[in-house]
Amino acid sequence: MDRKDASTDHAPGAGAHDWDPEQYRYHAGPRLRPLYDLLARVPELPSPRPRIADLGCGPGGPTVLLAERWPTASITGYDLSEAMLSEARAYAGPLPGGGHLDFVHADLADWRPGHPHDLIISNAALHWVIPAGGKGRVIPAGGKGRVIPAGDGRAAERHAELLHRWVAALNPGGFLAFQIPGNFTAPSHTLLAELRTSPRWRDRLGEGATRVPVAEPAEYAALLAGLGCETDVWETTYVHVLTGEDPVLEWTRGTALRPVLTALDDDPAARDAFLAEYRDLLRAAYPPGPHGTLFPFRRIFAVARRPG
């Protein structure tokens, strides 16, 4: 199976301007590294023919890695983006070990499985999701004129409902595993937020993600332990060496910039002007070196086992 599209960090939302799978693949190698590191910490599952859910599957590449690790499993990838799912479904079908892989349209904010699972995994999607019915429910980032859901300082509280629901959907001895970006105070994000709130752009683009939409590792560890789980929570800062012209801009075009591109979709001149301003800020914050552009990227990981 081809892993070229096994990249991460997309929002599981869709809307008038859906996610671009081709842009999403940009720098696929560095984007994929956290998933390998997450999977390395997931032990053997309690069933020889496990049921696995991949929440926020994107264009299918990350889910293919699950199928390679557990070829006897029944694996379903869930996403709200039809553009992503249209590519992911090319991988659907029987697996060599007797398992099966398929992909289903779903909103992770209110996803509820019909059967208990042995593994629920979410790769770079939780930070986009607020539970249905919760205060400040997420508007899909692809929606026309809407923006990334800004954190309100209560990310742990908002995500507690989701984690409780997902842990409850595990078989005894099953695992919940997720990784999320933890770099929302990095220049790539703070410069974007500052530009959006500048006099030229604030009326058009709003405040955007001016606050952090994720909790700290210790908060997730406490939440999961409070649900009775054995927990393994950690963080890693990768120092990616990116190549190409304006590589950090190209990275963000596939993720954090998507709401801006959507909001300015009907005004190409304004879109190009915003990108030029943001590009210049990124060039100063991440200057290219003789071997490439260094791009530090913090991520938060968690693997939790339901007792049983």
Side-chain angles (χ1 to χ4, degrees):
M1 293 183 179
D2 188 355
R3 299 181 186 174
K4 68 180 179 180
D5 66 344
S7 52
T8 63
D9 294 324
H10 85 291
H17 192 134
D18 207 346
W19 290 84
D20 181 350
E22 192 60 38
Q23 185 67 41
Y24 176 66
R25 294 188 185 101
Y26 202 86
H27 297 306
R31 290 187 188 277
L32 183 59
R33 169 73 182 279
L35 178 58
Y36 279 112
D37 291 348
L38 179 66
L39 289 175
R41 301 284 277 270
V42 177
E44 288 306 307
L45 302 181
S47 169
R49 303 188 67 83
R51 184 181 296 273
I52 298 173
D54 181 9
L55 305 185
C57 62
T63 319
V64 168
L65 298 183
L66 305 183
E68 292 176 354
R69 169 87 182 265
W70 293 286
T72 64
S74 174
I75 305 172
T76 303
Y78 297 91
D79 209 286
L80 190 57
S81 168
E82 286 295 350
M84 293 294 192
L85 289 170
S86 67
E87 299 212 2
R89 287 178 177 132
Y91 299 112
L95 300 177
H100 191 270
L101 176 61
D102 64 355
F103 297 90
V104 174
H105 182 271
D107 184 345
L108 305 191
D110 54 16
W111 175 79
R112 288 173 171 79
H115 307 277
H117 283 62
D118 299 291
L119 172 64
I120 295 174
I121 188 165
S122 181
N123 186 46
L126 180 62
H127 58 296
W128 293 92
V129 185
I130 298 173
K135 184 177 181 181
R137 186 181 187 279
V138 67
I139 302 294
K144 186 74 170 175
R146 310 313 284 263
V147 298
I148 294 175
D152 56 8
R154 304 208 314 261
E157 177 183 335
R158 295 197 322 275
H159 288 157
E161 179 183 338
L162 281 173
L163 297 181
H164 183 275
R165 187 191 308 159
W166 295 352
V167 168
L170 294 172
N171 281 315
F175 291 88
L176 169 64
F178 63 85
Q179 71 88 6
I180 48 178
N183 68 329
F184 295 97
T185 59
S188 55
H189 284 71
T190 59
L191 292 172
L192 179 59
E194 290 169 5
L195 184 57
R196 292 177 64 156
T197 57
S198 65
R200 180 176 181 182
W201 299 107
R202 62 189 174 203
D203 291 341
R204 198 122 183 226
L205 299 175
E207 293 186 1
T210 58
R211 289 167 288 180
V212 176
V214 301
E216 287 299 305
E219 294 178 280
Y220 287 116
L223 277 174
L224 294 166
L227 296 174
C229 295
E230 301 170 11
T231 64
D232 181 10
V233 179
W234 71 100
E235 64 177 86
T236 296
T237 298
Y238 300 90
V239 182
H240 300 304
V241 182
L242 307 183
T243 59
E245 185 177 357
D246 296 309
V248 179
L249 177 66
E250 292 303 321
W251 183 296
T252 61
R253 284 176 73 108
T255 53
L257 263 176
R258 294 304 306 162
V260 170
L261 298 176
T262 295
L264 300 177
D265 186 49
D266 58 354
D267 190 344
R271 179 196 61 211
D272 293 345
F274 184 93
L275 288 175
E277 290 186 53
Y278 183 47
R279 177 203 62 204
D280 291 344
L281 293 171
L282 290 177
R283 284 177 176 176
Y286 302 98
H291 306 293
T293 299
L294 299 182
F295 184 42
F297 200 121
R298 176 179 179 249
R299 293 186 183 268
I300 298 168
F301 300 79
V303 176
R305 177 182 180 274
R306 183 176 182 178

